Amino acid sequence: MKRIVVLTGAGISAESGIKTFRDSDGLWENYRVEDVATFDAWLKNPDLVREFYNQRRKEILETLPNEAHKQLVRLEENFRVDVVTQNIDNLHERAGSSNVLHLHGEATKLVSQTNPEEVVTLSGWEQTKDMTDSLGKPLRPFIVWFGEAVPNIVPAAELCQRADIMIVVGTSLNVYPAAGLLGYAKSDCDKYLVDPKEPNANLKGIHFIKKKATEGVKEVVDLIIEKYA
Ligand code: APR
């Protein structure tokens, strides 16, 4: 069975109504990374950081997976598919993808500050001040902040090294180490990229489909099924 790795970024969830980070009116136009998405920010102003992720969580719970998330699930009939996502939303899971690896954490979860294994899933959108771990210390959002290690990059790179086909959807490829994952692909790996805007990356050897995710992912999925299934 051929192995497919799908690397996704904020663009795949854009048509569900979730803002991207670096497009015009993206999240980083309205917030400063250093105010809400670093460990320092959490130490200096936990209320603001909690509020920022409460808003993200609320937005996620109010949205639905779109056709792009759903089309990827079709591939599972014929291929081993691993979705490696930079997104903190759970739209791949809700669309039905079986294997989803989150590189930058998951908005719906909190984690202990002393024990990374102690992960708690929130039932609603709100993290309140009084939510603590088993030692009584405040839980933090289960997010990989800027400047922090990305533990899931190791299994992600291994998946990319073994992939026969890679599909990249909706990422500006600005943030490392995620942006370097294409570099792990075998020389004969068949690579596709779906984005309405050409990312700032070397696209040599990559089939670039300059379309929005809902349209472009269907095109790639049809193409791959026809070619390999
Ligand atoms: N379909 C597909 N792609 C789209 C769509 C769409 N409808 N709309 C926008 N895009 C593309 C943009 O052209 C851009 O290339 O999605 C990409 C979004 O880029 P970013 O906003 O930089 O998001 P991403 O690459 O996921 O960011 C990586 O940076 O701050 C962070 O941690 C955050 O995980 C995130 C990381």
Side-chain angles (χ1 to χ4, degrees), residues 118-163:
E118 194 178 335
V119 177
V120 176
T121 302
L122 279 167
S123 50
W125 61 272
E126 193 176 18
Q127 176 187 7
T128 54
K129 265 187 187 167
D130 58 352
M131 291 179 173
T132 52
D133 66 10
S134 53
L135 298 175
K137 289 196 68 173
L139 289 157
R140 59 168 269 183
F142 186 49
I143 300 293
V144 175
W145 283 319
F146 280 89
E148 293 189 311
V150 182
N152 279 346
I153 200 69
V154 176
E158 283 167 9
L159 288 170
C160 294
Q161 280 169 334
R162 297 172 67 195

Short mmCIF file of all heavy atoms in Angstrom, two decimals, residues 118-163:
data_model
loop_
_atom_site.label_atom_id
_atom_site.label_comp_id
_atom_site.label_asym_id
_atom_site.label_seq_id
_atom_site.Cartn_x
_atom_site.Cartn_y
_atom_site.Cartn_z
N GLU A 118 0.63 14.96 31.03
CA GLU A 118 -0.70 15.20 31.61
C GLU A 118 -1.46 16.19 30.74
O GLU A 118 -1.34 17.41 30.88
CB GLU A 118 -0.55 15.72 33.06
CG GLU A 118 -1.87 15.66 33.81
CD GLU A 118 -1.77 16.13 35.26
OE1 GLU A 118 -0.67 16.07 35.87
OE2 GLU A 118 -2.80 16.60 35.78
N VAL A 119 -2.21 15.63 29.80
CA VAL A 119 -2.96 16.44 28.82
C VAL A 119 -4.45 16.28 29.11
O VAL A 119 -4.93 15.17 29.33
CB VAL A 119 -2.63 15.98 27.38
CG1 VAL A 119 -3.45 16.75 26.36
CG2 VAL A 119 -1.14 16.14 27.09
N VAL A 120 -5.15 17.41 29.13
CA VAL A 120 -6.57 17.40 29.49
C VAL A 120 -7.37 17.96 28.32
O VAL A 120 -7.02 19.02 27.79
CB VAL A 120 -6.78 18.32 30.73
CG1 VAL A 120 -8.24 18.43 31.09
CG2 VAL A 120 -5.95 17.82 31.91
N THR A 121 -8.44 17.26 27.94
CA THR A 121 -9.29 17.79 26.87
C THR A 121 -10.42 18.61 27.47
O THR A 121 -11.12 18.14 28.38
CB THR A 121 -9.87 16.62 26.02
OG1 THR A 121 -8.78 15.87 25.50
CG2 THR A 121 -10.71 17.14 24.87
N LEU A 122 -10.56 19.83 26.99
CA LEU A 122 -11.63 20.69 27.49
C LEU A 122 -12.97 20.26 26.89
O LEU A 122 -13.02 19.85 25.73
CB LEU A 122 -11.38 22.14 27.05
CG LEU A 122 -10.37 22.93 27.88
CD1 LEU A 122 -10.00 24.20 27.14
CD2 LEU A 122 -10.96 23.26 29.24
N SER A 123 -14.04 20.41 27.67
CA SER A 123 -15.32 20.03 27.08
C SER A 123 -15.94 21.20 26.33
O SER A 123 -16.68 21.01 25.37
CB SER A 123 -16.27 19.50 28.15
OG SER A 123 -16.32 20.41 29.21
N GLY A 124 -15.63 22.42 26.72
CA GLY A 124 -16.19 23.57 26.02
C GLY A 124 -15.07 24.45 25.47
O GLY A 124 -13.96 23.99 25.23
N TRP A 125 -15.38 25.75 25.29
CA TRP A 125 -14.40 26.63 24.67
C TRP A 125 -13.50 27.33 25.68
O TRP A 125 -12.43 27.82 25.35
CB TRP A 125 -15.12 27.70 23.82
CG TRP A 125 -16.05 28.60 24.63
CD1 TRP A 125 -17.35 28.34 24.89
CD2 TRP A 125 -15.73 29.83 25.28
NE1 TRP A 125 -17.88 29.34 25.66
CE2 TRP A 125 -16.91 30.29 25.91
CE3 TRP A 125 -14.58 30.62 25.37
CZ2 TRP A 125 -16.96 31.47 26.64
CZ3 TRP A 125 -14.62 31.81 26.09
CH2 TRP A 125 -15.81 32.22 26.72
N GLU A 126 -13.95 27.31 26.97
CA GLU A 126 -13.27 28.24 27.88
C GLU A 126 -12.27 27.58 28.83
O GLU A 126 -12.60 26.65 29.56
CB GLU A 126 -14.32 28.96 28.73
CG GLU A 126 -13.74 30.14 29.46
CD GLU A 126 -14.80 30.94 30.22
OE1 GLU A 126 -15.89 30.41 30.48
OE2 GLU A 126 -14.50 32.09 30.56
N GLN A 127 -11.06 28.11 28.80
CA GLN A 127 -10.10 27.77 29.86
C GLN A 127 -10.23 28.85 30.93
O GLN A 127 -10.00 30.03 30.66
CB GLN A 127 -8.66 27.76 29.35
CG GLN A 127 -7.67 27.50 30.48
CD GLN A 127 -6.19 27.63 30.10
OE1 GLN A 127 -5.86 28.05 28.99
NE2 GLN A 127 -5.32 27.30 31.03
N THR A 128 -10.59 28.43 32.14
CA THR A 128 -10.70 29.42 33.22
C THR A 128 -9.46 29.33 34.11
O THR A 128 -8.72 28.36 34.06
CB THR A 128 -11.98 29.16 34.06
OG1 THR A 128 -11.96 27.80 34.50
CG2 THR A 128 -13.23 29.41 33.25
N LYS A 129 -9.28 30.39 34.92
CA LYS A 129 -8.09 30.51 35.76
C LYS A 129 -7.91 29.34 36.72
O LYS A 129 -6.80 29.01 37.10
CB LYS A 129 -8.24 31.77 36.63
CG LYS A 129 -7.58 32.98 36.05
CD LYS A 129 -7.65 34.09 37.09
CE LYS A 129 -7.16 35.37 36.46
NZ LYS A 129 -7.44 36.54 37.21
N ASP A 130 -9.04 28.79 37.16
CA ASP A 130 -8.98 27.77 38.22
C ASP A 130 -8.72 26.36 37.71
O ASP A 130 -8.76 25.41 38.48
CB ASP A 130 -10.29 27.80 39.03
CG ASP A 130 -11.50 27.55 38.13
OD1 ASP A 130 -11.32 27.51 36.90
OD2 ASP A 130 -12.61 27.38 38.65
N MET A 131 -8.42 26.19 36.44
CA MET A 131 -8.18 24.83 35.93
C MET A 131 -6.74 24.42 36.23
O MET A 131 -5.79 25.05 35.74
CB MET A 131 -8.46 24.77 34.43
CG MET A 131 -9.93 24.93 34.14
SD MET A 131 -10.25 24.89 32.38
CE MET A 131 -12.04 24.88 32.38
N THR A 132 -6.60 23.38 37.04
CA THR A 132 -5.26 23.00 37.48
C THR A 132 -4.96 21.54 37.17
O THR A 132 -5.86 20.75 36.92
CB THR A 132 -5.13 23.22 39.00
OG1 THR A 132 -6.23 22.55 39.65
CG2 THR A 132 -5.14 24.68 39.37
N ASP A 133 -3.67 21.23 37.23
CA ASP A 133 -3.26 19.84 37.01
C ASP A 133 -3.36 19.05 38.32
O ASP A 133 -3.84 19.59 39.33
CB ASP A 133 -1.84 19.78 36.40
CG ASP A 133 -0.78 20.30 37.35
OD1 ASP A 133 -1.08 20.52 38.55
OD2 ASP A 133 0.37 20.50 36.92
N SER A 134 -2.88 17.81 38.30
CA SER A 134 -3.05 16.95 39.49
C SER A 134 -2.24 17.47 40.69
O SER A 134 -2.50 17.07 41.82
CB SER A 134 -2.67 15.51 39.17
OG SER A 134 -1.38 15.49 38.61
N LEU A 135 -1.28 18.37 40.43
CA LEU A 135 -0.51 18.94 41.55
C LEU A 135 -1.08 20.29 41.99
O LEU A 135 -0.51 20.97 42.84
CB LEU A 135 0.96 19.11 41.16
CG LEU A 135 1.72 17.82 40.81
CD1 LEU A 135 3.13 18.12 40.32
CD2 LEU A 135 1.77 16.89 42.03
N GLY A 136 -2.15 20.71 41.35
CA GLY A 136 -2.78 21.97 41.73
C GLY A 136 -2.17 23.19 41.04
O GLY A 136 -2.50 24.33 41.35
N LYS A 137 -1.27 22.96 40.05
CA LYS A 137 -0.68 24.09 39.31
C LYS A 137 -1.53 24.42 38.07
O LYS A 137 -2.11 23.50 37.47
CB LYS A 137 0.74 23.75 38.87
CG LYS A 137 1.74 23.71 40.03
CD LYS A 137 3.16 23.77 39.52
CE LYS A 137 3.47 25.14 38.91
NZ LYS A 137 4.86 25.32 38.54
N PRO A 138 -1.59 25.70 37.71
CA PRO A 138 -2.44 26.06 36.55
C PRO A 138 -2.02 25.32 35.28
O PRO A 138 -0.83 25.20 34.99
CB PRO A 138 -2.21 27.57 36.38
CG PRO A 138 -1.58 28.03 37.63
CD PRO A 138 -0.91 26.86 38.28
N LEU A 139 -3.01 24.82 34.58
CA LEU A 139 -2.75 24.19 33.28
C LEU A 139 -2.46 25.28 32.25
O LEU A 139 -2.94 26.41 32.38
CB LEU A 139 -3.97 23.39 32.84
CG LEU A 139 -4.26 22.11 33.61
CD1 LEU A 139 -5.74 21.73 33.49
CD2 LEU A 139 -3.38 20.96 33.12
N ARG A 140 -1.69 24.99 31.24
CA ARG A 140 -1.46 25.94 30.14
C ARG A 140 -2.09 25.40 28.87
O ARG A 140 -2.34 24.18 28.76
CB ARG A 140 0.04 26.19 29.92
CG ARG A 140 0.84 24.93 29.60
CD ARG A 140 2.24 25.25 29.10
NE ARG A 140 2.26 25.37 27.64
CZ ARG A 140 3.34 25.59 26.91
NH1 ARG A 140 4.52 25.74 27.50
NH2 ARG A 140 3.29 25.67 25.60
N PRO A 141 -2.32 26.27 27.87
CA PRO A 141 -2.83 25.76 26.60
C PRO A 141 -1.85 24.73 26.02
O PRO A 141 -0.63 24.88 26.18
CB PRO A 141 -2.89 27.01 25.72
CG PRO A 141 -3.02 28.15 26.69
CD PRO A 141 -2.21 27.74 27.88
N PHE A 142 -2.39 23.71 25.37
CA PHE A 142 -1.57 22.65 24.77
C PHE A 142 -1.12 23.11 23.38
O PHE A 142 -1.58 22.63 22.35
CB PHE A 142 -2.40 21.36 24.70
CG PHE A 142 -1.65 20.14 24.23
CD1 PHE A 142 -0.43 19.78 24.78
CD2 PHE A 142 -2.18 19.32 23.24
CE1 PHE A 142 0.25 18.64 24.37
CE2 PHE A 142 -1.50 18.18 22.81
CZ PHE A 142 -0.30 17.85 23.37
N ILE A 143 -0.25 24.09 23.39
CA ILE A 143 0.18 24.76 22.17
C ILE A 143 1.70 24.79 22.18
O ILE A 143 2.31 25.03 23.23
CB ILE A 143 -0.33 26.22 22.15
CG1 ILE A 143 -1.87 26.29 22.21
CG2 ILE A 143 0.20 26.98 20.93
CD1 ILE A 143 -2.61 25.75 21.02
N VAL A 144 2.30 24.56 21.01
CA VAL A 144 3.75 24.76 20.88
C VAL A 144 3.95 26.22 20.52
O VAL A 144 3.61 26.65 19.41
CB VAL A 144 4.33 23.83 19.79
CG1 VAL A 144 5.81 24.14 19.58
CG2 VAL A 144 4.12 22.37 20.16
N TRP A 145 4.49 26.99 21.45
CA TRP A 145 4.67 28.42 21.20
C TRP A 145 5.98 28.69 20.47
O TRP A 145 6.89 27.85 20.44
CB TRP A 145 4.63 29.17 22.54
CG TRP A 145 3.24 29.33 23.08
CD1 TRP A 145 2.12 29.63 22.36
CD2 TRP A 145 2.82 29.19 24.44
NE1 TRP A 145 1.03 29.70 23.19
CE2 TRP A 145 1.42 29.44 24.47
CE3 TRP A 145 3.47 28.89 25.64
CZ2 TRP A 145 0.67 29.40 25.64
CZ3 TRP A 145 2.73 28.85 26.81
CH2 TRP A 145 1.35 29.11 26.82
N PHE A 146 6.05 29.88 19.90
CA PHE A 146 7.28 30.29 19.22
C PHE A 146 8.45 30.17 20.18
O PHE A 146 8.34 30.56 21.34
CB PHE A 146 7.17 31.73 18.69
CG PHE A 146 6.39 31.78 17.40
CD1 PHE A 146 5.01 31.94 17.41
CD2 PHE A 146 7.04 31.63 16.18
CE1 PHE A 146 4.29 31.95 16.22
CE2 PHE A 146 6.32 31.64 14.99
CZ PHE A 146 4.95 31.81 15.01
N GLY A 147 9.53 29.61 19.70
CA GLY A 147 10.73 29.47 20.54
C GLY A 147 10.75 28.15 21.31
O GLY A 147 11.76 27.82 21.93
N GLU A 148 9.65 27.39 21.26
CA GLU A 148 9.63 26.11 21.97
C GLU A 148 9.98 24.96 21.01
O GLU A 148 9.83 25.08 19.79
CB GLU A 148 8.24 25.86 22.58
CG GLU A 148 7.92 26.85 23.69
CD GLU A 148 6.66 26.51 24.46
OE1 GLU A 148 5.62 26.23 23.82
OE2 GLU A 148 6.72 26.52 25.70
N ALA A 149 10.42 23.84 21.62
CA ALA A 149 10.74 22.67 20.81
C ALA A 149 9.45 22.11 20.19
O ALA A 149 8.36 22.32 20.73
CB ALA A 149 11.39 21.60 21.68
N VAL A 150 9.60 21.44 19.08
CA VAL A 150 8.45 20.85 18.37
C VAL A 150 8.61 19.33 18.43
O VAL A 150 9.17 18.71 17.52
CB VAL A 150 8.41 21.34 16.90
CG1 VAL A 150 7.20 20.78 16.16
CG2 VAL A 150 8.43 22.86 16.83
N PRO A 151 8.15 18.70 19.50
CA PRO A 151 8.45 17.27 19.69
C PRO A 151 7.95 16.39 18.53
O PRO A 151 8.62 15.43 18.17
CB PRO A 151 7.71 16.90 20.99
CG PRO A 151 7.35 18.19 21.63
CD PRO A 151 7.34 19.26 20.59
N ASN A 152 6.83 16.73 17.94
CA ASN A 152 6.29 15.86 16.89
C ASN A 152 7.00 16.00 15.55
O ASN A 152 6.63 15.33 14.57
CB ASN A 152 4.78 16.10 16.73
CG ASN A 152 4.00 15.35 17.78
OD1 ASN A 152 4.54 14.46 18.45
ND2 ASN A 152 2.73 15.70 17.96
N ILE A 153 8.02 16.86 15.49
CA ILE A 153 8.74 16.98 14.22
C ILE A 153 9.50 15.69 13.92
O ILE A 153 9.71 15.35 12.76
CB ILE A 153 9.69 18.21 14.22
CG1 ILE A 153 10.04 18.60 12.78
CG2 ILE A 153 10.93 18.00 15.05
CD1 ILE A 153 8.92 19.19 11.99
N VAL A 154 9.89 14.96 14.95
CA VAL A 154 10.67 13.73 14.73
C VAL A 154 9.80 12.66 14.04
O VAL A 154 10.15 12.19 12.94
CB VAL A 154 11.30 13.22 16.05
CG1 VAL A 154 12.02 11.91 15.84
CG2 VAL A 154 12.24 14.28 16.61
N PRO A 155 8.63 12.29 14.63
CA PRO A 155 7.79 11.34 13.89
C PRO A 155 7.33 11.89 12.54
O PRO A 155 7.18 11.13 11.58
CB PRO A 155 6.60 11.09 14.82
CG PRO A 155 6.67 12.12 15.90
CD PRO A 155 8.10 12.57 15.97
N ALA A 156 7.14 13.20 12.45
CA ALA A 156 6.69 13.78 11.16
C ALA A 156 7.77 13.60 10.10
O ALA A 156 7.47 13.20 8.96
CB ALA A 156 6.37 15.27 11.35
N ALA A 157 9.01 13.84 10.45
CA ALA A 157 10.11 13.69 9.48
C ALA A 157 10.23 12.23 9.06
O ALA A 157 10.45 11.94 7.88
CB ALA A 157 11.41 14.19 10.09
N GLU A 158 10.03 11.31 10.01
CA GLU A 158 10.10 9.88 9.66
C GLU A 158 9.00 9.51 8.67
O GLU A 158 9.23 8.79 7.71
CB GLU A 158 9.97 9.02 10.93
CG GLU A 158 11.27 9.00 11.72
CD GLU A 158 11.10 8.44 13.15
OE1 GLU A 158 10.01 7.92 13.48
OE2 GLU A 158 12.07 8.57 13.92
N LEU A 159 7.81 10.06 8.89
CA LEU A 159 6.71 9.78 7.96
C LEU A 159 7.05 10.31 6.56
O LEU A 159 6.79 9.64 5.55
CB LEU A 159 5.41 10.43 8.46
CG LEU A 159 4.75 9.79 9.69
CD1 LEU A 159 3.62 10.66 10.22
CD2 LEU A 159 4.23 8.39 9.35
N CYS A 160 7.63 11.52 6.51
CA CYS A 160 7.96 12.12 5.21
C CYS A 160 9.03 11.29 4.48
O CYS A 160 8.97 11.12 3.27
CB CYS A 160 8.43 13.56 5.38
SG CYS A 160 7.12 14.63 5.99
N GLN A 161 9.99 10.78 5.25
CA GLN A 161 11.05 9.97 4.63
C GLN A 161 10.49 8.70 3.99
O GLN A 161 11.05 8.20 3.03
CB GLN A 161 12.07 9.54 5.70
CG GLN A 161 13.06 10.64 6.02
CD GLN A 161 13.90 10.31 7.26
OE1 GLN A 161 13.48 9.55 8.13
NE2 GLN A 161 15.07 10.90 7.33
N ARG A 162 9.38 8.19 4.54
CA ARG A 162 8.82 6.94 4.03
C ARG A 162 7.70 7.16 3.01
O ARG A 162 7.18 6.20 2.45
CB ARG A 162 8.26 6.12 5.21
CG ARG A 162 9.35 5.72 6.19
CD ARG A 162 8.77 5.09 7.44
NE ARG A 162 8.14 3.80 7.16
CZ ARG A 162 7.32 3.18 8.00
NH1 ARG A 162 6.99 3.74 9.14
NH2 ARG A 162 6.81 2.01 7.69
N ALA A 163 7.35 8.42 2.77
CA ALA A 163 6.18 8.70 1.92
C ALA A 163 6.47 8.44 0.43
O ALA A 163 7.54 8.76 -0.06
CB ALA A 163 5.74 10.15 2.11
#
